[in-house]
Amino acid sequence: MADTFYTNAGCTLVALNPFKPVPQLYSPELMREYHAAPQPQKLKPHIFGVGEQTYRNVQSLVEPVNQSIVVSGESGAGKTWTSRCLMNFYAVVAASPTSWESHKIAERIEQRILNSNPVMEAFGNACTLRNNNSSRFGKFIQLQLNRTQQMTGAAVQTYLLEKTRVAYQASSERNFHIFYQICKGANADERLQWHLPEGAAFSWLPNPERTLEEDCFEVTREAMLHLGINAPTQNNIFKVLAGLLHLGNIRFADSGDEAQPCQLMDDAKCSFRTSASLLWLPEDPLLETLQIRTIRAGRQQQVFRKPCSQAECDTRRDCLAKLVYARLFDWLVSVINSSICADPNSWTTFIGLLDVYGFESFPDNSLEQLCINYANEKLQQHFVAHYLRAQQEEYAVEGLEWSFVNYQDNQTCLDLIEGSPISICSLINEECRLNRPSSAAQLQTRIESALAGSPCLGHNKLSREPSFIVVHYAGPVQYHTAGLVEKNKDPVPPELTRLLQQSQDPLLKVLFPADPEETSQEEPSGQSRVPVLTVVSKFKASLEQLLQVLQGTTPHYIRCIKPNGQGRAQTFLREEVLSQLEACGLVETIHISAAGFPIRVSHQSFVERYELLRRLRPRMSPAPHSPSDEGRSEWSPHAEAPTLQPLLQDIFHSLPALTRAAATPGGPAEATPASVHCGKTKVFMTDSTLELLEHGRAQVLDQCARCIQGGWKRHRQRKQERQRQAAVLIQAAIRSWLTRKHVQRLHTAATVIKRAWHKWRIRMALLASNELDGVEEKHLSHAPRSLSAFPLPQAQTQLLGAIIRLWPLGLVLANAAVGVRGFQRKLVVWACLQLPSSGPSSYPVQTAQEQAGVTSIRALPQGSIKFHCRKSPLRYADICPEPSSYSVTGFNQILLERHRLGHV
């Protein structure tokens, strides 16, 4: 047989238990593939497809928005595994936060939600004849989503824990997994602390040699740690569980005298002391509570103490263990809820996962099996009422042409179990209220006589024990009446509660707080005694509350099927599978789904969601006041039914265009027309039509988004262009202003420099003239005649001007200490002074050493002369104005000899 374990049967997913691990069928990659697929229904049937459909229904906000998945089937069909895989799927797809901080928060929430599974399975699941991991309680997990469809938390609600399994296990069955985990997974120190030595035998721990996958202690401890249960609290929990195991080894010997209490057996005394020590209970009050019963009677509430028989002692011992374990399980559920539940204001929608016990039929069936099968009957009736009967009746009311399909209705069986005024539950509750000993044979007689006319009630004449048979939708089940009334009463002696309130154990103090009001309520007088709620009554009330929640959601069904009763892989027994399919009504479901319309939306919701598709309606000849235009303009969210009809017709007219657009190029020439019908108040359509409408709506929204994006980009481009032009104008104005300011500063600086230069020239000329005035007057007084008295030729006049202008260089060369000497020096002087070439003898030049008549205001330089020139930082400081031809100015003014000038 190929590894194909899922198929669709109408609106129901049929899941076949492979009885072997198939890792590739539940990998994270496959989860993302179903989540990212544009059309998940076109992929292979899978539980991830159902999960994705519910998630997209929440996103589409089609009423009812809240979704629920009902996982049903026989015990061992794989319901727990299916629920676990669905939770893993939602944890992957419903967590897409935008920031890193929100991602860490979402990751922590997902981890806590996933860690609640191993804890609840360890404390609430057990190995039975049909299933190694059978849920012995029902649970409804509410996955809470916020407005953006992200998982923000979860809540767990449990139903009817099979607490009798703590003290009683059928043949070849086991106790809850947690007891085997602490016995196999505890280390040496923990064994010593919890008094669990290797190889110890416990009466309430049958078949300890079997090793199951669920016996992993470390997984449970790690999950509890993630849920906020620290190591000391865990140690306290496991110590209490070890105390319950030792409590199960307590045995009483029959006293033989009703006036004397039963005594402990010798081999049970050690277990008694160990149990009292682990539970932190005083030994004497504990033993007295188990041996002696307290009775209050009379108006004065006189107290009588009566020793219990051996059976009563065992019953009180079992009651003590069941009471502690039930309170512990409820406390764990409350801790899990406080850890994973979100604030009511932070979530708006939810997806519910219902995992209840499967249909059970054992050789010995009692009240637990009756309640479990009753719950399965209610869920089957919900399926029948919601899908098989309600759909067909709705088609007729809405005016659709429909031929009814016959189906198996289990309402008769429900009337037998819970009907009014007389039913099995009412008769059992009545026996509990009667103040008389209950007889199994008498209860059988009452049930058979009062309900003899029911076709679902039978009797096994070959049975030696009192019993009755109920024909359920999945088959007949025989229930034994022995102990049925006592289990329904579930009596808890008040002295047991008071004893547990005296415990010094921190956990038991939390589980059994000392409440005076509760104590007074547990001991009412005989005249004003309030009827105590029985197990059946409480279970029925919680089941009704669950169904009310399911009725407010869009249900989805997963039917888990066992291919064989032995749990063997690759073994498919056709008869067993077919009987399960027929029992749960899947054959009729296929017929109705093939001819019906699973999607039903009210006119108002349909128009509100798909009014956009009117844009795709083919354009007719435009009229200024056409009816369609009027309808388009007059539509409002609170429009009346007559107003909605034109809008509905416009939307329906757009379906052919959507069908043609959705047709593949390589497909047939004409696509299959959309199957949609308009009823009186609702629109009926198939899944393919809904997919077509959603695809068209997405296209219109995409076009609108593109139009908005185009307008926004155009507006942004124009705005940026205007901003750029304004920036260019501002930059040009600023640059012009900066240039003008710079030129003004340069002009002002040049003016200042020029003025300072003129002042400096005038000051230097004034200083030079003041120095030379006295010397010139002295020498001119000794001269025989002035220079003007001797007129000079033009050549001499030019030579005199050249000498005056270029005297510094000649002076340097003539007075140099090193360099050329003699005639060469004179040639250099002549060349520098640019003298005429008439002959060197005509213009003799004397050196400073030879000349005697030279007079100067400063001493002649000694040694070599160096000129140090530095460029001024001022721009115009190095530009010297052109001097006049015959003016002699400078730092030093040399007065040449008058007689030499006169001779020349």
Side-chain angles (χ1 to χ4, degrees):
M1 183 175 64
D3 288 343
T4 303
F5 308 104
Y6 297 102
T7 186
N8 289 322
C11 66
T12 305
L13 177 72
V14 180
L16 198 68
N17 192 345
F19 290 121
K20 67 176 183 178
V22 190
Q24 68 276 8
L25 202 59
Y26 309 99
S27 62
E29 293 77 13
L30 192 61
M31 297 181 188
R32 298 186 184 95
E33 179 182 353
Y34 276 85
H35 181 56
Q39 299 176 355
Q41 62 273 15
K42 291 189 176 180
L43 300 178
K44 293 182 179 180
H46 201 283
I47 55 175
F48 296 158
V50 178
E52 182 62 23
Q53 182 181 359
T54 58
Y55 187 69
R56 296 192 181 188
N57 287 353
V58 172
Q59 290 179 322
S60 63
L61 300 179
V62 176
E63 293 292 339
V65 180
N66 296 327
Q67 309 289 309
S68 61
I69 300 179
V70 181
V71 184
S72 60
E74 294 186 3
S75 179
K79 299 182 300 298
T80 302
W81 173 260
T82 300
S83 301
R84 190 189 308 171
C85 292
L86 284 172
M87 291 183 64
N88 291 333
F89 174 78
Y90 288 121
V92 171
V93 304
S96 54
T98 55
S99 63
W100 176 254
E101 182 179 357
S102 57
H103 174 71
K104 298 299 270 184
I105 295 175
E107 197 175 53
R108 184 169 65 251
I109 293 173
E110 298 160 21
Q111 191 63 33
R112 288 182 178 180
I113 293 175
L114 295 179
N115 282 326
S116 64
N117 271 333
V119 175
M120 299 192 70
E121 290 182 11
F123 285 85
N125 290 20
C127 177
T128 63
L129 292 175
R130 296 189 174 186
N131 187 6
N132 290 339
N133 190 29
S134 176
S135 297
R136 308 318 300 166
F137 69 103
K139 62 177 179 290
F140 180 72
I141 304 174
Q142 188 183 67
L143 304 178
Q144 301 160 348
L145 307 176
N146 58 12
R147 296 183 182 275
T148 58
Q149 288 78 49
Q150 295 179 7
M151 191 186 305
T152 60
V156 180
Q157 185 177 0
T158 59
Y159 304 95
L160 191 65
L161 174 70
E162 190 188 11
K163 57 185 178 181
T164 57
R165 184 169 290 271
V166 176
Y168 172 77
Q169 304 83 31
S171 176
S172 301
E173 292 191 355
R174 302 204 316 175
N175 209 325
F176 292 104
H177 293 321
I178 188 63
F179 291 105
Y180 298 89
Q181 291 180 3
I182 63 175
C183 289
K184 296 181 179 180
N187 55 38
D189 295 337
E190 292 171 342
R191 289 182 181 277
L192 184 62
Q193 183 181 2
W194 301 337
H195 299 275
L196 297 175
E198 290 280 355
F202 297 98
S203 300
W204 290 349
L205 205 68
N207 304 314
E209 68 282 353
R210 295 185 59 181
T211 302
L212 302 179
E213 182 183 356
E214 290 74 20
D215 293 342
C216 187
F217 190 38
E218 291 301 323
V219 174
T220 304
R221 302 186 74 164
E222 188 71 20
M224 295 175 71
L225 194 62
H226 280 94
L227 290 173
I229 305 175
N230 53 25
T233 306
Q234 292 183 28
N235 183 68
N236 200 356
I237 293 172
F238 302 141
K239 186 176 65 172
V240 170
L241 295 177
L244 296 183
L245 288 179
H246 286 282
L247 185 66
N249 287 345
I250 298 177
R251 293 290 181 270
F252 291 91
D254 191 4
S255 63
D257 184 3
E258 295 182 356
Q260 298 297 327
C262 299
Q263 299 299 323
L264 289 172
M265 291 185 175
D266 295 336
D267 56 351
K269 294 180 180 180
C270 180
S271 298
F272 174 78
R273 289 192 297 269
T274 303
S275 177
S277 173
L278 291 174
L279 297 177
W280 283 26
L281 293 173
E283 295 184 7
D284 294 339
L286 174 60
L287 182 59
E288 182 181 350
T289 304
L290 297 179
Q291 291 176 332
I292 299 175
R293 181 177 58 175
T294 303
I295 303 175
R296 294 179 181 271
R299 294 183 178 181
Q300 288 78 20
Q301 291 292 301
Q302 297 180 0
V303 179
F304 300 92
R305 298 167 59 86
K306 179 182 178 181
C308 298
S309 63
Q310 181 183 9
E312 290 176 344
C313 290
D314 293 341
T315 301
R316 296 170 74 85
R317 176 203 61 198
D318 297 347
C319 183
L320 178 64
K322 292 186 293 183
L323 179 61
V324 172
Y325 194 83
R327 291 282 185 96
L328 175 61
F329 185 81
D330 293 338
W331 177 81
L332 280 175
V333 173
S334 64
V335 170
I336 292 174
N337 283 329
S338 63
S339 176
I340 66 178
C341 189
D343 185 18
N345 297 326
S346 64
W347 60 277
T348 56
T349 57
F350 69 86
I351 299 176
L353 300 179
L354 179 61
D355 177 19
V356 295
Y357 355 69
F359 186 84
E360 292 184 348
S361 177
F362 298 119
D364 186 8
N365 301 290
S366 187
L367 183 67
E368 294 82 10
Q369 283 69 38
L370 179 62
C371 292
I372 288 173
N373 295 337
Y374 167 52
N376 283 272
E377 287 284 353
K378 292 289 287 185
L379 293 177
Q380 176 65 18
Q381 176 63 22
H382 177 267
F383 172 74
V384 169
H386 176 268
Y387 194 79
L388 300 181
R389 181 176 65 242
Q391 279 198 6
Q392 299 189 85
E393 292 178 354
E394 190 174 19
Y395 295 157
V397 172
E398 291 289 334
L400 275 69
E401 297 181 0
W402 179 260
S403 59
F404 280 81
V405 177
N406 295 325
Y407 56 89
Q408 179 183 358
D409 194 354
N410 66 334
Q411 185 61 46
T412 306
C413 182
L414 280 176
D415 293 338
L416 172 65
I417 298 176
E418 64 168 6
S420 179
I422 299 177
S423 62
I424 294 177
C425 292
S426 65
L427 291 175
I428 296 176
N429 289 334
E430 186 178 349
E431 285 290 330
C432 295
R433 288 192 295 268
L434 296 176
N435 191 12
R436 67 181 184 185
S438 176
S439 171
Q442 185 177 1
L443 177 61
Q444 175 191 358
T445 304
R446 289 197 62 188
I447 291 176
E448 290 179 351
S449 60
L451 303 172
S454 175
C456 294
L457 182 65
H459 174 64
N460 186 8
K461 297 180 180 180
L462 301 180
S463 177
R464 297 181 180 179
E465 298 179 0
S467 63
F468 61 92
I469 297 177
V470 177
V471 182
H472 293 281
Y473 74 95
V477 178
Q478 181 178 1
Y479 299 98
H480 296 280
T481 57
L484 205 63
V485 176
E486 286 74 15
K487 289 183 178 180
N488 189 36
K489 288 180 180 179
D490 192 20
V492 177
E495 53 266 24
L496 288 181
T497 305
R498 288 194 295 267
L499 173 67
L500 292 172
Q501 290 174 349
Q502 298 175 8
S503 173
Q504 300 302 317
D505 184 79
L507 179 61
L508 292 180
K509 283 185 176 182
V510 176
L511 300 181
F512 299 93
D515 190 357
E517 296 182 0
E518 182 180 353
T519 305
S520 62
Q521 290 178 2
E522 289 179 357
E523 302 175 359
S525 62
Q527 302 295 331
S528 60
R529 180 173 299 172
V530 180
V532 180
L533 287 177
T534 61
V535 174
V536 171
S537 300
K538 291 187 289 186
F539 183 69
K540 182 179 179 181
S542 61
L543 203 56
E544 291 293 339
Q545 182 181 4
L546 172 64
L547 290 176
Q548 289 180 1
V549 175
L550 294 180
Q551 289 173 1
T553 63
T554 300
H556 305 264
Y557 301 96
I558 298 179
R559 294 288 188 179
C560 297
I561 303 297
K562 293 177 62 175
N564 59 82
Q566 294 74 29
R568 296 194 301 265
Q570 304 293 338
T571 303
F572 186 87
L573 300 181
R574 183 175 180 179
E575 291 75 12
E576 290 190 15
V577 173
L578 186 59
S579 63
Q580 297 177 56
L581 295 176
E582 292 177 347
C584 60
L586 284 181
V587 178
E588 295 83 1
T589 303
I590 296 173
H591 291 302
I592 297 177
S593 299
F597 305 96
I599 308 300
R600 301 175 299 279
V601 185
S602 65
H603 289 174
Q604 186 73 27
S605 301
F606 186 82
V607 172
E608 287 179 1
R609 182 161 185 82
Y610 301 111
E611 194 268 342
L612 294 173
L613 298 180
R614 298 175 65 199
R615 298 172 178 265
L616 303 178
R617 184 173 57 89
R619 297 288 182 180
M620 307 301 292
S621 58
H625 302 286
S626 61
S628 61
D629 293 339
E630 293 178 1
R632 187 187 300 266
S633 61
E634 293 178 359
W635 178 80
S636 65
H638 303 285
E640 299 296 334
T643 310
L644 296 177
Q645 290 300 326
L647 303 178
L648 292 172
Q649 295 303 323
D650 287 347
I651 298 174
F652 294 154
H653 290 161
S654 65
L655 288 177
L658 292 175
T659 305
R660 290 192 298 270
T664 57
E670 287 193 19
T672 305
S675 179
V676 58
H677 291 271
C678 183
K680 295 179 181 179
T681 61
K682 294 182 180 180
V683 176
F684 298 84
M685 53 188 167
T686 59
D687 290 329
S688 59
T689 305
L690 177 63
E691 176 189 346
L692 193 65
L693 291 172
E694 289 293 331
H695 181 67
R697 183 174 181 272
Q699 287 182 345
V700 174
L701 291 177
D702 182 68
Q703 293 175 1
C704 295
R706 291 178 183 273
C707 181
I708 295 173
Q709 288 177 356
W712 166 249
K713 290 179 179 178
R714 185 164 52 251
H715 165 73
R716 187 177 60 180
Q717 186 67 22
R718 291 176 179 175
K719 183 178 179 181
Q720 290 178 353
E721 181 63 23
R722 289 194 299 267
Q723 291 177 350
R724 189 188 66 81
Q725 293 177 0
V728 170
L729 291 177
I730 295 173
Q731 289 177 358
I734 292 177
R735 288 173 181 170
S736 176
W737 179 79
L738 291 176
T739 304
R740 286 197 302 272
K741 297 295 290 184
H742 182 64
V743 171
Q744 289 177 2
R745 286 196 299 269
L746 291 179
H747 180 73
T748 303
T751 303
V752 172
I753 293 171
K754 184 177 179 181
R755 187 178 300 155
W757 169 250
H758 285 309
K759 289 182 180 179
W760 181 78
R761 283 185 60 194
I762 295 172
R763 189 181 297 113
M764 291 298 104
L766 181 61
L767 291 175
S769 62
N770 292 336
E771 287 184 6
L772 296 178
D773 282 346
V775 179
E776 289 178 357
E777 292 178 358
K778 179 180 179 181
H779 284 280
L780 288 176
S781 64
H782 294 287
R785 51 184 178 182
S786 63
L787 190 59
S788 60
F790 300 93
L792 298 176
Q794 183 178 1
Q796 293 181 357
T797 303
Q798 295 178 355
L799 178 60
L800 181 60
I803 292 174
I804 292 173
R805 289 194 302 270
L806 301 175
W807 68 266
L809 184 59
L811 185 62
V812 172
L813 294 175
N815 294 278
V818 294
V820 294
R821 295 180 180 277
F823 181 73
Q824 294 180 356
R825 179 182 298 179
K826 293 181 179 181
L827 290 178
V828 171
V829 172
W830 293 338
C832 292
L833 297 178
Q834 296 181 359
L835 299 177
S837 59
S838 57
S841 59
S842 302
Y843 308 98
V845 179
Q846 293 182 349
T847 63
Q849 292 81 0
E850 297 175 354
Q851 62 184 358
V854 177
T855 304
S856 174
I857 62 174
R858 296 184 184 278
L860 293 177
Q862 301 295 327
S864 60
I865 298 175
K866 296 181 181 180
F867 287 86
H868 300 275
C869 300
R870 293 184 180 179
K871 188 175 181 179
S872 173
L874 301 178
R875 179 170 295 185
Y876 302 105
D878 297 329
I879 300 177
C880 181
E882 185 67 23
S884 60
S885 302
Y886 296 98
S887 62
V888 180
T889 57
F891 296 100
N892 297 321
Q893 188 173 10
I894 307 301
L895 180 64
L896 300 178
E897 295 178 342
R898 295 294 185 89
H899 67 274
R900 184 65 175 168
L901 292 175
H903 176 74
V904 173

